[in-house]
Amino acid sequence: MTCPGVTHPTHLFGVLLAVTGNLIISISLNIQKYSHLKSAHQGSQKPYFRSVLWWCGSLLMAVGETGNFAAYGLAPITLIAPLGCMSVAGSAVMSVTFLKENLRSSDLLGVTLAFAGTYLLVAFAPNITQDVTARKVQYYFVGWQFLAYVILEILIFCILLYCYKRKDMKHIVILLTLVALLASLTVISVKAVSSMIILSVKGKMQLTYPIFYIMFIIMTASCIFQVKFLNQAMQLYKTTTVVPLNYIFFTTSANIAGIIFYQEFLGAALLSAFMYLFGCFLSFFGVVLVTRNRENEHSQQSYIDFGQIPGKQMLDKIQPEANGQTYGTLPDESNSTKSPGKEKKDI
């Protein structure tokens, strides 16, 4: 039996762009993190945006995101969206090399699973070839499948937004579901805008159609609100919790959007669909392993221990509580509350 694989050269080029873009993003994140660590080590008080090193990381971030943007215009959404795991896996590997972080066994297993999942995704993703023209986008935009999907998505979004704003329910699942619902519109519009720009560059002008500007507005608005809810999740919860959950939610939402709007799995074999889902599962599990408990290791700080100082009798070590307002135990209160007369007698 032959493996479906990515046989179309345009799709292969899109995959290479996405993988390269995600690896560049992981490099940029490590450069920015190194810039913050360097400033903290030197005791610098100047803002981070005045650092040349930070701007180099930001420039690389823009290059990586541009590669991802172009990749959506060259290959199916269901092929490009799950490749975001390469950024997480690459960042874990590079942090060991450049930031001298500890290499854990779970990191090795997670990176291995992420690469294995990526291979299955590329091998069994839909291999359909279609020029996403403005007329085709218009046809998909008014199709009953997409209209039913958008109505359901708007209904769920309004319910979750009501719970978040009115009921003050700030659970991470609610926040990241809001992000994922917006992300589905983002990937649909990004693919449409990117495809129409690429076709226009090739000589098939698509920028004169109103649908191009409609999709551009949807892309911009959904990105802005998506970043807003994601930042709120980052403020309320640990990065090691937000990153894997956001990747899982985003990939699932993007795949559903690609299947419904662009009909990317239309006519796909059952084996291909199963292996594709199994590749997604391996990528999800790999990202969870790479990010699991990583922040706890970074937050470990040395505590103050007076146990070896002569003349100091301590009940315990002084160290900050993890989830409290206190700073651990204090010296023996009986010694600190002695009367002045008692102290003179002891002397």
Side-chain angles (χ1 to χ4, degrees), residues 122-196:
V122 174
F124 292 95
N127 200 26
I128 60 172
T129 57
Q130 58 174 335
D131 290 333
V132 182
T133 62
R135 291 185 180 276
K136 188 171 288 187
V137 172
Q138 289 176 351
Y139 173 75
Y140 289 149
F141 198 77
V142 297
W144 69 268
Q145 301 96 329
F146 178 66
L147 292 178
Y149 173 72
V150 167
I151 292 173
L152 179 62
E153 187 174 81
I154 292 175
L155 181 62
I156 297 174
F157 186 87
C158 291
I159 293 174
L160 293 177
L161 190 62
Y162 174 79
C163 294
Y164 173 69
K165 291 291 186 180
R166 297 295 184 181
K167 299 297 183 180
D168 200 30
M169 298 172 62
K170 292 180 170 56
H171 195 276
I172 187 172
V173 173
I174 293 178
L175 284 168
L176 294 185
T177 302
L178 290 171
V179 174
L181 293 174
L182 292 168
S184 65
L185 297 178
T186 302
V187 294
I188 288 174
S189 55
V190 163
K191 181 172 179 60
V193 171
S194 179
S195 299
M196 286 188 275

Side-chain angles (χ1 to χ4, degrees), residues 48-121:
Y48 64 88
F49 53 82
R50 291 187 179 180
S51 171
V52 176
L53 198 60
W54 184 87
W55 278 108
C56 290
S58 299
L59 181 61
L60 286 177
M61 175 75 74
V63 172
E65 293 294 354
T66 303
N68 278 335
F69 177 79
Y72 278 107
L74 298 171
I77 291 176
T78 49
L79 179 58
I80 300 301
L83 296 180
C85 67
M86 300 301 296
S87 176
V88 180
S91 181
V93 173
M94 292 173 189
S95 65
V96 174
T97 305
F98 296 108
L99 301 179
K100 307 301 180 183
E101 295 183 2
N102 296 328
L103 180 63
R104 308 170 303 174
S105 58
S106 60
D107 294 336
L108 293 175
L109 180 59
V111 170
T112 303
L113 291 177
F115 278 108
T118 301
Y119 171 77
L120 292 177
L121 290 169

Side-chain angles (χ1 to χ4, degrees), residues 270-284:
L270 182 61
L271 176 62
S272 297
F274 174 78
M275 294 303 295
Y276 177 85
L277 293 176
F278 184 63
C280 287
F281 170 76
L282 289 181
S283 298
F284 294 164

Side-chain angles (χ1 to χ4, degrees), residues 225-263:
F225 286 103
Q226 184 181 337
V227 170
K228 176 184 177 182
F229 287 117
L230 185 59
N231 284 335
Q232 290 176 356
M234 295 288 283
Q235 292 174 357
L236 295 174
Y237 299 94
K238 294 182 179 179
T239 305
T240 51
T241 304
V242 175
V243 169
L245 285 179
N246 181 59
Y247 169 71
I248 294 171
F249 283 32
F250 168 82
T251 304
T252 304
S253 178
N255 287 339
I256 294 174
I259 292 171
I260 292 177
F261 190 86
Y262 293 104
Q263 303 175 13

